[in-house]
Amino acid sequence: MNQLSAQSLSSRYGERYRWLLLFSVMVGVMASIMSSTIVNVAIPGMSHHFSLGQERAQWVSSGFMVAMTVSMLTTPWLLSRYGYRRTYVGTMVLLLAGGMTGGLATNFSLVLLARVAEGLAAGVVQPIPAIIILRAFEPHEQGRASGIFGMGVVLAPAIGPSIGGVLVDLFGWRSIFFMVVPFCITSIWLAYKFVPTTAPGGAAASRDTGLDWRGLALGTIGTLCLLNGLVALRGDSPTQATALLAAAGVAFGAFLAWQRRFAAAGGMPLMNLALFKHRQFAMGSIVAFIYGTALFGSTYLLPVYMQVGLQLSASHVGTILLPAGVVLAFAIAGVGRLADRHPTYLLVTIGLMLLAASFALMIVLRLDSGLWLLVVFAVIGRIGLGFILPSLNLGSMRPLPKHMIPQGASSINFLRMLGGAAGVSLCAVILEWRLAAHGDSLANASSSPARLAAFDEVFVMLAAVCALAICAAWQLREKPSSKLDEQPVN
């Protein structure tokens, strides 16, 4: 295959090329994110069709989550071995195959296989935009590029469930799987026009290094044990939960030890531990993990709070959260421009403070409170996310040597997803604990001051988690010598 580098494509398309490249991968990432969120709308219909219990139905989401989290670590190796275009097109073909298989499946095993395939594709593709932004854009444009990309990606999960609900009502649960098909076809067409065939840095793809299969196996075992252990904490089997969490700790410890040994032997580790010698990246990784915990935890907690705590209908919940989603999309675009002119550590800190404030403010709500207050608090939190999303990756990875950027992008996404998985279970476990302490449970049909007090305590916990992340965010401050020099597109 003729090696089409970013330089040759840039010469062909001119100054607008880097934006065309970013748009090309944005379409694919939107499809992958949509596939991760929209399937929740289809679970009730799917469960009825296949006569699934709650535990089996949960694996539709859990299987996707495990596959996506682990496959993120393979992105640098795939880019190095196959180049941008073949890696990106391969993920889109896999996502397309997953969508088609899930939509046509006649048994639940095929649905689960399709979800795992979609998760693998989503995990590989999601670190790619950060790599492109940090390599293809000049430093003074990276914030704007991150903002525009983030705006498009956030609109997908904001609008997707609404469209998905209409499709399920009209055509049934299978239609949800087919939603990714036009996005995947469009992204493949764009890839053959604008995505270079070369590896990061402009070099030809090389097959000299093999994939770290042992590290991948240890990472998969650790992630599976962690997710299942956290789910087990919500049940009546503390011994099983303890054993699974202990196994996760052992697996991740072995994973880190093997990564160090594999790198010393000259291989390409899935997670390069040398990344964490860079203070800003290490602090950014801590923020990403804690931020993932708060974000995913609140995504679980807010709908439960509104329906079970405040006794609002499902339609009210969607209406209340929609303005916050739209505000988030525009906030990301605006803050992206600020990130080109202001220190990223300051923007991340402001975002975490707003996110913490939105959680803390929830404790003033009561059963007779106006819905407008809930909308305002949700909007404050989403503005906070708008400050964090385009700034965190830039602040963490700008100081890295250019050859380490692909591994930095995959590692920080991996840690954010691990934090997210922990956040959902953490909120669920603490909520059940506090409800029991107040003499209530989610099974009760009516709300009470005691139930609201339990929810308030979980929101305070999330606010404290965000406050903890602020300490690490302040360490994202750049030294004058750490800023990247002006760099060509490569």
Side-chain angles (χ1 to χ4, degrees):
M1 179 185 293
N2 180 34
Q3 293 294 328
L4 289 174
S5 67
Q7 286 91 340
S8 63
L9 288 169
S10 181
S11 299
R12 180 185 302 177
Y13 294 104
E15 284 294 312
R16 63 195 174 104
Y17 167 67
R18 58 192 183 277
W19 296 102
L20 294 171
L21 172 59
L22 183 63
F23 175 74
S24 299
V25 296
M26 184 172 77
V27 173
V29 174
M30 286 174 67
S32 72
I33 291 176
M34 190 175 293
S35 69
S36 70
T37 57
I38 199 171
V39 77
N40 295 328
V41 180
I43 286 179
M46 192 190 311
S47 299
H48 177 73
H49 180 84
F50 292 114
S51 301
L52 302 176
Q54 178 63 32
E55 186 173 339
R56 290 189 72 200
Q58 181 181 324
W59 272 104
V60 174
S61 298
S62 299
F64 184 99
M65 177 76 78
V66 172
M68 179 172 65
T69 303
V70 175
S71 64
M72 284 178 175
L73 293 174
T74 67
T75 302
W77 180 83
L78 289 169
L79 291 176
S80 174
R81 185 177 176 92
Y82 298 108
Y84 280 115
R85 182 185 294 175
R86 289 177 69 185
T87 300
Y88 180 67
V89 170
T91 61
M92 290 300 101
V93 170
L94 186 59
L95 188 63
L96 176 62
M100 295 292 290
T101 302
L104 298 172
T106 55
N107 61 72
F108 179 65
S109 296
L110 272 179
V111 173
L112 189 55
L113 180 65
R115 289 297 291 162
V116 170
E118 288 183 323
L120 291 172
V124 172
V125 78
Q126 287 190 29
I128 292 178
I131 300 169
I132 287 174
I133 287 170
L134 285 162
R135 298 198 67 103
F137 287 82
E138 304 292 350
H140 66 275
E141 297 177 314
Q142 290 169 357
R144 183 158 59 105
S146 295
I148 292 173
F149 171 79
M151 180 180 182
V153 168
V154 164
L155 282 176
I159 298 172
S162 301
I163 299 174
V166 174
L167 287 176
V168 169
D169 289 341
L170 293 176
F171 305 108
W173 63 268
R174 294 181 184 277
S175 61
I176 292 300
F177 283 91
F178 294 123
M179 269 196 70
V180 300
V181 171
F183 287 90
C184 291
I185 293 173
T186 302
S187 66
I188 292 170
W189 176 75
L190 289 169
Y192 278 102
K193 285 181 67 71
F194 303 119
V195 177
T197 59
T198 50
S206 170
R207 302 197 174 194
D208 293 340
T209 58
L211 180 62
D212 178 12
W213 288 105
R214 185 181 299 184
L216 190 61
L218 289 169
T220 302
I221 292 169
T223 304
L224 275 170
C225 289
L226 176 64
L227 293 181
N228 281 289
L230 291 170
V231 169
L233 280 176
R234 298 158 63 175
D236 299 322
S237 51
T239 303
Q240 180 187 0
T242 302
L244 285 169
L245 293 175
V250 171
F252 281 129
F255 171 79
L256 294 175
W258 172 249
Q259 294 306 284
R260 186 182 301 277
R261 181 178 171 185
F262 192 69
M268 177 184 283
L270 296 175
M271 182 180 287
N272 190 344
L273 300 184
L275 289 165
F276 299 96
K277 295 179 181 178
H278 297 268
R279 177 182 57 84
Q280 287 167 250
F281 183 83
M283 293 299 105
S285 297
I286 293 172
V287 174
F289 183 86
I290 298 175
Y291 154 73
T293 302
L295 173 61
F296 284 78
S298 66
T299 301
Y300 158 80
L301 187 64
L302 274 173
V304 176
Y305 172 68
M306 285 188 267
Q307 292 182 72
V308 179
L310 299 180
Q311 299 288 290
L312 300 176
S313 66
S315 59
H316 270 101
V317 172
T319 304
I320 289 167
L321 293 180
L322 184 59
V326 174
V327 167
L328 171 59
F330 286 97
I332 289 174
V335 173
R337 292 179 177 272
L338 292 178
D340 289 328
R341 302 191 301 270
H342 299 282
T344 51
Y345 79 92
L346 190 58
L347 298 177
V348 174
T349 300
I350 291 171
L352 288 168
M353 291 173 66
L354 289 172
L355 193 58
S358 73
F359 294 141
L361 286 169
M362 289 292 179
I363 67 175
V364 308
L365 294 175
R366 291 295 174 262
L367 289 170
D368 57 351
S369 298
L371 289 183
W372 67 271
L373 273 176
L374 191 53
V375 174
V376 169
F377 297 162
V379 166
I380 290 172
R382 291 306 181 258
I383 293 174
L385 290 178
F387 272 84
I388 298 168
L389 286 170
S391 310
L392 181 57
N393 277 354
L394 293 180
S396 304
M397 292 192 290
R398 269 178 177 164
L400 295 178
K402 287 194 287 185
H403 71 276
M404 297 180 77
I405 286 174
Q407 287 195 314
S410 68
S411 296
I412 205 165
N413 274 279
F414 173 75
L415 292 169
R416 177 176 55 81
M417 290 306 302
L418 270 187
V424 173
S425 291
L426 181 67
C427 284
V429 169
I430 293 179
L431 177 59
E432 290 172 7
W433 168 46
R434 297 317 302 158
L435 283 169
H438 287 282
D440 201 347
S441 74
L442 294 178
N444 291 342
S446 59
S447 187
S448 66
R451 179 177 296 185
L452 289 182
F455 275 102
D456 290 346
E457 288 165 6
V458 184
F459 281 120
V460 169
M461 181 273 295
L462 286 175
V465 166
C466 292
L468 185 64
I470 291 173
C471 301
W474 202 251
Q475 299 302 314
L476 288 170
R477 286 172 294 179
E478 296 182 18
K479 298 177 182 178
S481 59
S482 70
K483 292 183 179 179
L484 292 175
D485 297 324
E486 296 293 312
Q487 50 186 301
V489 175
N490 56 21

